[in-house]
Amino acid sequence: EPEVTQTPSHQVTQMGQEVILRCVPISNHLYFYWYRQILGQKVEFLVSFYNNEISEKSEIFDDQFSVERPDGSNFTLKIRSTKLEDSAMYFCAILPFRGNEQFFGPGTRLTVL
Amino acid sequence: KNQVEQSPQSLIILEGKNCTLQCNYTVSPFSNLRWYKQDTGRGPVSLTIMTFSENTKSNGRYTATLDADTKQSSLHITASQLSDSASYICVVSANRDDKIIFGKGTRLHILP
């Protein structure tokens, strides 16, 4: 089973600050995804990333969000100016080259004060 | 509109008992349906994945069924253990490379 790690495990930030969440897949994969889960609510799709480009994004993924693979390995989600309502668990997921199932990382808990 | 509905919202059973969780979906076109287990504060972990042609899939004490005609799925847990306490999420994919649609999950509590 593919392994995905995320850093940090918990991030606390002040409203208006920028945060960068990182996803580190152990091996190369086809698709990358970011999801978020507000406490007590269901998991929501944010964005999918294929071949170093955004493949699809939801209405949640507005201009304050961006994704990239800065070094061809790590996959990052940047929130430029955090809002209180950005507080949530953020999960990275990967889709292996020869699979049809996404594997999730352990998540980063973002707390915006 | 693509939707995934799960029931019950929460369930409490005694250790050793069996239970069945339900999932109804309106996702089209259908690619696959997965059940995930999510412990509190952790990422979802895959239990089963079924494509259109599969009616049942087992993973240890977990057995998932799929009726593609009625667009219903169930997850049956046999001889529950305390460690089964978690949220169980039904997820449906419209296409292999498309975003997937999550249900709200069923929160299962196993009591000793």
Side-chain angles (χ1 to χ4, degrees):
Chain A
E1 184 173 304
E3 195 173 331
V4 182
T5 61
Q6 291 184 240
T7 60
S9 58
H10 190 190
Q11 174 87 46
V12 181
T13 188
Q14 294 287 332
M15 189 170 60
Q17 295 296 306
E18 174 183 286
V19 295
I20 297 176
L21 311 182
R22 290 181 174 80
C23 174
V24 185
I26 298 301
S27 54
N28 266 330
H29 299 287
L30 187 62
Y31 270 82
F32 296 84
Y33 305 81
W34 281 103
Y35 297 87
R36 81 171 184 190
Q37 186 177 31
I38 295 172
L39 184 64
Q41 298 186 23
K42 70 176 181 178
V43 178
E44 299 172 292
F45 168 78
L46 291 177
V47 65
S48 59
F49 192 80
Y50 170 71
N51 201 26
N52 293 324
E53 289 184 348
I54 290 177
S55 173
E56 188 166 357
K57 59 184 181 180
S58 73
E59 59 275 9
I60 302 170
F61 194 86
D62 59 23
D63 291 343
Q64 71 160 345
F65 290 94
S66 62
V67 290
E68 62 178 6
R69 290 187 76 189
D71 56 8
S73 172
N74 293 349
F75 179 50
T76 64
L77 173 70
K78 180 190 291 185
I79 308 175
R80 290 191 183 81
S81 179
T82 51
K83 300 185 280 244
L84 295 177
E85 53 265 37
D86 292 329
S87 294
M89 284 288 288
Y90 288 82
F91 295 105
C92 167
I94 57 94
L95 180 68
F97 278 111
R98 290 187 179 82
N100 59 354
E101 179 180 357
Q102 294 181 24
F103 293 90
F104 287 80
T108 292
R109 178 171 296 283
L110 176 64
T111 302
V112 182
L113 303 177
Chain B
K1 183 180 178 182
N2 290 329
Q3 285 187 319
V4 177
E5 301 289 339
Q6 291 188 243
S7 62
Q9 185 176 12
S10 65
L11 182 63
I12 302 174
I13 63 172
L14 293 175
E15 185 180 11
K17 298 296 185 182
N18 304 335
C19 66
T20 300
L21 315 180
Q22 301 291 341
C23 174
N24 298 330
Y25 62 92
T26 57
V27 178
S28 182
F30 174 85
S31 176
N32 60 67
L33 184 148
R34 316 141 197 216
W35 283 94
Y36 284 89
K37 177 185 179 186
Q38 185 180 23
D39 293 312
T40 301
R42 307 294 296 274
V45 175
S46 178
L47 295 175
T48 63
I49 179 170
M50 290 181 290
T51 58
F52 183 87
S53 59
E54 296 175 292
N55 300 119
T56 185
K57 184 73 70 77
S58 290
N59 178 3
R61 294 179 297 103
Y62 302 102
T63 299
T65 65
L66 174 64
D67 186 334
D69 292 330
T70 61
K71 298 187 177 182
Q72 296 179 326
S73 176
S74 67
L75 179 69
H76 185 76
I77 304 175
T78 305
S80 60
Q81 300 175 359
L82 296 178
S83 59
D84 292 333
S85 293
S87 287
Y88 291 83
I89 306 172
C90 177
V91 179
V92 182
S93 175
N95 291 298
R96 179 183 183 275
D97 302 331
D98 201 357
K99 66 177 183 290
I100 57 179
I101 298 97
F102 285 76
K104 289 185 178 181
T106 292
R107 181 69 191 167
L108 178 64
H109 301 269
I110 309 297
L111 300 179

